[in-house]
Every structure is written in C-alpha cells, then in structure tokens.
C-alpha cells in the first residue's frame, strides 16, 4: 500500500459512503454499526488541472496520475481502545495509515441512527479522540514497561526510551495527542517513530452534510462548530455531502458538470478531501510529459532534483547530470519543448535544486 489516509469516525457518519465515492468501489454501507469489518482500501487519483492540461496538450499513449490510498476503517465507539465494537482490530488498521481524515456527522436525519442518540459533532470528535489517545497510552505504557526493565541492565537506548515514554504518558494522560511532542536526538526520535502512535499522525476534519445544507454551508451551525475547532487547532476542515458525492460518481463523466451545477457545486467536494489528504502528507507533484506518456510523480516537499529523478529510476539519481525544468503554463503557451526553449522559459538546474510543485522536468543522466 502507498501513502495512505485512514477514514475514521463514529458508526453511521458516512465513512463508507465517502469511501465509495472516493474510490468508485462499493464498500457495504448500511444503517447499523460495524457494517465495515475489514478495512477497504482504494487507490484514488489526485485531481490536478495541471495534469489534465498536459494530457490535453500531448494526447499521450499512456497517462499516470498521482494517487493516494484511502482506507475505510469501521466505526469506532466509546470503549474501542478496550475492544468495544471490535475496536482493537479497527485501531490497528489506523496505525498503518500516514494521516487521518476524521469524518464528522453534521446533519440531522431521524432515519439515520446515531450511535449515541444525538447529533453533536464536537462530542463525536471528543469520543473518537479520547479512544485514540487511550489506545496510544496503552501502547506507550507497554513500551515504557519494557524500557524500564531493560534500563536496569544499563542499556543506553532503553534509558532514553524511558525518558521519551514518561514524557508521552504525561502528555497523553492530560488528553493531548502525541502530535507535537518533540524529542531531541536520533535515538529518541527512533523510539518515538517505532511506536507508530495514532495521535502522532496529521489529521483533518470532514464535515458530512445533507444536500439541503450545501446552499448555506457558510452559516450552518453544526459545520461552524467544527470549523471553529479546526481554526483553534490549525487543522484543515472540509465539508461534503457524501451521499451526493456517491451519486455524482455513479453518473457518466459527461453528465457530472450539469449535476454539480444543479446542486450548487463548482466541483465535487471529493476533490477537497483528496487534495487535503495529499497536502497533509507533505506531498507535492512534478510531471514528466511527452507524446509517449504524461506522468505525475509524487515526492515529499523539499526533495532535491537527484532524489526526485530517483523516483523515476535509480539510474537517474545515480547518474544525475542536470534537470531541464519549465512550468505547465509555459508548455501550454508555447506548444512544445523546443518552443519553450526558444522562448527562454526552460531552466537548467543542478544537484542542489529543490523540485517545486508543478514543475515539468526532463532529467539528464549518465551511468
């Protein structure tokens, strides 16, 4: 599995419906808890108008979009950290994800049961976050116990692990997530990383609303509560109508624009979910483009040119000479690489160049 975003939330908040729309798969969605037992995984293309423009420009024989894996994880309930609702199995699936999309119910509907019998997005968030913190606390306590035993034998690494874990226990006990807990030193960072703590992962909120809320989303009181919490924490908040999104994905592509207009949307809300998940993983895209293939390559922000070249092939990194770089707008304006060069828009970059989001790159190498 590639870089992944785990979709979490209480039962019946729309997680599986969202997943169906994201992946065009049909994970079972039903009006009762624990409908999803094993996690469903969908490889989802990242919407990118720059990529689409390059495809239109070159009409290539092959196209490869950037992707993110979305993992639909069964609904968590109070007590999940202790195994309620098969919680331990579900939480182990979250541990493997790189980021978390927390789906929150922000709609009233008497026909869709709420596991706690009320619609209160902030209370729902607190329930989920408490369970994740408790699960992490259990993980850290086990690691601490192991470290304390080993440290008696003067194991230097385990002594450092004791300090890391004691600080984490204090933080988690106070109801704070592991994200933001800072340690110094390579050994300490390794101890922290190797615990794969759930609350150490970046996350964002996805407010699930009904169709009739879309026209007044900016003033919707339930969404406003989540947005205020997101602003307070510096956490992104997006909103969608999962049911509408799933319906859109059932339509032929040529009919989707008209349907979006009919419900007052400029683009599918799924685009915001996918792009937010992509950004949460600190990812950017560069392109290689020509008639044989237009390919979107995913790299971590801050990657230098040789390492970006290595995403294509290890020989490209090993024998890197230089990168020929220009922008998508340049190729669209001038029509060909030769014309881009003639217009002075192509740059030659060396080993220290940090590849930028949206670069179109041709690597020169020799091995």
């Amino acid at each position: 599995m590639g870089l992944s975003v785990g979709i979490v939330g209480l039962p019946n908040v729309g997680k599986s419906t969202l997943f169906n729309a994201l992946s065009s798969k049909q994970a079972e969605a039903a009006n009762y808890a624990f409908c999803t037992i094993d996690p469903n995984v969908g490889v989802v293309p990242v919407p990118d108008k720059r990529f689409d423009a390059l495809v239109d420009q070159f009409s290539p024989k092959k196209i490869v979009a950037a992707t993110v894996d979305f993992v639909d994880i069964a609904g968590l309930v109070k007590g999940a950290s202790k195994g309620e609702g098969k919680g331990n199995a579900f939480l182990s699936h979250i541990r493997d994800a790189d980021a978390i999309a927390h789906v929150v119910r922000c709609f009233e509907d008497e026909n869709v049961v709420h596991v706690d019998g009320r619609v209160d997005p902030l209370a729902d968030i607190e329930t989920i976050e408490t369970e994740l913190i408790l699960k992490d606390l259990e993980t850290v306590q086990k690691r601490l116990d192991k470290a304390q035993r080993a440290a008696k034998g003067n194991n230097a690494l385990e002594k450092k692990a004791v300090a890391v874990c004691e600080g984490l226990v204090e933080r988690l006990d106070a109801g704070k997530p592991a994200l933001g807990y800072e340690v110094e030193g390579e050994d300490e960072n390794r101890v922290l990383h190797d615990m794969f703590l759930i609350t150490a992962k970046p996350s964002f909120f996805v407010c699930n609303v009904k169709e009739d809320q879309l026209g007044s989303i900016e003033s919707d009181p339930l969404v406003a509560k989540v947005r205020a919490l997101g602003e307070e924490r510096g956490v992104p908040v997006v909103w969608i109508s999962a049911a509408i999104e799933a319906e859109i994905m059932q339509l032929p592509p040529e009919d989707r624009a008209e349907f979006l207009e009919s419900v007052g949307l400029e683009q599918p809300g799924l685009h915001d979910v996918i792009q937010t998940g992509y950004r949460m993983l600190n990812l950017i895209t560069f392109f290689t483009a020509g008639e044989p293939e237009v390919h979107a390559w995913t790299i971590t922000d801050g990657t230098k040119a040789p390492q970006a070249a290595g995403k294509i092939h290890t020989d490209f990194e090993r024998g890197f000479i230089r990168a020929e770089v220009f922008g998508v707008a340049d190729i669209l304006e001038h029509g060909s690489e030769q014309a881009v060069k003639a217009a002075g828009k192509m740059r030659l970059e060396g080993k220290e160049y940090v590849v930028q989001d949206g670069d179109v790159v041709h690597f020169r190498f020799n091995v």
Side-chain angles (χ1 to χ4, degrees):
M1 188 167 69
L3 292 164
S4 62
V5 177
I7 304 173
V8 304
L10 289 171
N12 300 334
V13 298
K15 299 181 312 305
S16 293
T17 304
L18 171 61
F19 175 83
N20 289 343
L22 279 166
S23 66
S24 299
K25 290 186 176 182
Q26 291 303 303
E28 187 179 2
N31 186 23
Y32 54 88
F34 315 125
C35 172
T36 305
I37 302 300
D38 295 321
N40 297 290
V41 180
V43 181
V44 181
V46 178
D48 193 325
K49 292 180 179 178
R50 302 166 304 181
F51 178 75
D52 296 339
L54 289 172
V55 171
D56 288 342
Q57 177 73 25
F58 287 100
S59 300
K61 296 176 182 177
K62 181 180 179 182
I63 63 172
V64 183
T67 62
V68 175
D69 292 352
F70 277 84
V71 186
D72 176 32
I73 297 162
L76 301 174
V77 294
K78 188 174 182 180
S81 60
K82 302 299 181 184
E84 290 295 325
K86 302 184 184 291
N88 276 319
F90 300 158
L91 287 166
S92 70
H93 300 315
I94 305 173
R95 199 180 302 282
D96 293 332
D98 299 292
I100 294 174
H102 186 164
V103 181
V104 186
R105 176 172 172 171
C106 291
F107 64 88
E108 300 276 0
D109 189 337
E110 62 183 18
N111 295 316
V112 180
V113 298
H114 189 290
V115 69
D116 291 330
R118 83 285 182 272
V119 177
D120 184 341
L122 297 187
D124 291 354
I125 290 170
E126 183 179 5
T127 296
I128 296 295
E129 291 183 342
T130 297
E131 294 306 318
L132 300 184
I133 286 172
L134 288 173
K135 188 61 180 178
D136 277 352
L137 188 58
E138 177 186 309
T139 299
V140 174
Q141 190 62 60
K142 288 180 179 177
R143 182 66 180 91
L144 176 59
D145 292 344
K146 176 186 174 183
Q148 287 173 331
R149 290 193 301 271
K152 293 178 181 178
N154 292 320
N155 184 309
L157 175 62
E158 293 304 308
K159 285 184 177 181
K160 293 176 181 178
V162 168
V164 171
C165 292
E166 285 179 341
L168 272 170
V169 167
E170 182 178 350
R171 182 181 179 88
L172 294 166
D173 258 336
K176 296 179 180 179
L179 186 66
Y181 180 71
E182 297 182 357
V183 296
E184 295 183 0
E186 185 177 335
D187 289 340
E188 288 84 352
N189 273 290
R190 188 166 77 249
V191 169
L192 180 59
H193 175 269
D194 287 351
M195 284 187 280
F196 296 98
L197 299 177
I198 301 167
T199 65
K201 303 176 189 299
S203 64
F204 63 102
F205 296 123
V206 181
C207 297
N208 187 18
V209 302
K210 295 178 71 174
E211 179 182 351
D212 58 12
Q213 293 171 265
L214 292 173
S216 57
I217 201 74
E218 295 297 333
S219 60
D220 188 272
L222 294 175
V223 173
K225 290 180 179 181
V226 182
R227 189 190 302 145
L229 180 63
E231 290 175 355
E232 178 186 324
R233 296 183 179 180
V235 173
V237 178
V238 299
W239 43 87
I240 61 159
S241 173
I244 290 295
E245 298 292 331
E247 191 173 342
I248 292 170
M249 295 307 294
Q250 295 296 315
L251 295 173
E254 61 271 17
D255 295 339
R256 291 176 186 174
E258 183 179 349
F259 182 84
L260 284 167
E261 185 178 353
S262 73
V263 295
L265 295 175
E266 294 182 4
Q267 66 173 13
L270 294 179
H271 289 193
D272 287 336
V273 176
I274 299 166
Q275 290 163 344
T276 300
Y278 195 71
R279 289 193 299 269
M280 292 298 293
L281 297 174
N282 197 31
L283 303 176
I284 62 170
T285 305
F286 75 90
F287 306 98
T288 52
E291 291 183 4
E293 178 181 274
V294 170
H295 197 131
W297 300 92
T298 298
I299 56 173
T300 303
D301 194 8
T303 299
K304 292 184 178 180
Q307 288 69 50
K311 292 288 291 185
I312 300 173
H313 197 284
T314 53
D315 284 349
F316 283 28
E317 180 176 359
R318 185 160 55 92
F320 179 88
I321 299 173
R322 66 178 182 271
E324 299 176 351
V325 185
F326 53 91
V328 174
D330 296 325
I331 194 74
L332 297 181
E333 178 182 353
H334 298 285
S336 70
E337 284 192 25
Q338 286 299 113
V340 169
K341 288 180 181 179
K345 296 293 186 178
M346 183 175 288
R347 311 186 310 275
L348 296 180
E349 302 288 358
K351 292 182 178 181
E352 295 303 310
Y353 177 68
V354 176
V355 176
Q356 301 298 302
D357 186 40
D359 279 350
V360 181
V361 188
H362 183 65
F363 293 105
R364 296 293 184 184
F365 72 101
N366 183 35
V367 291

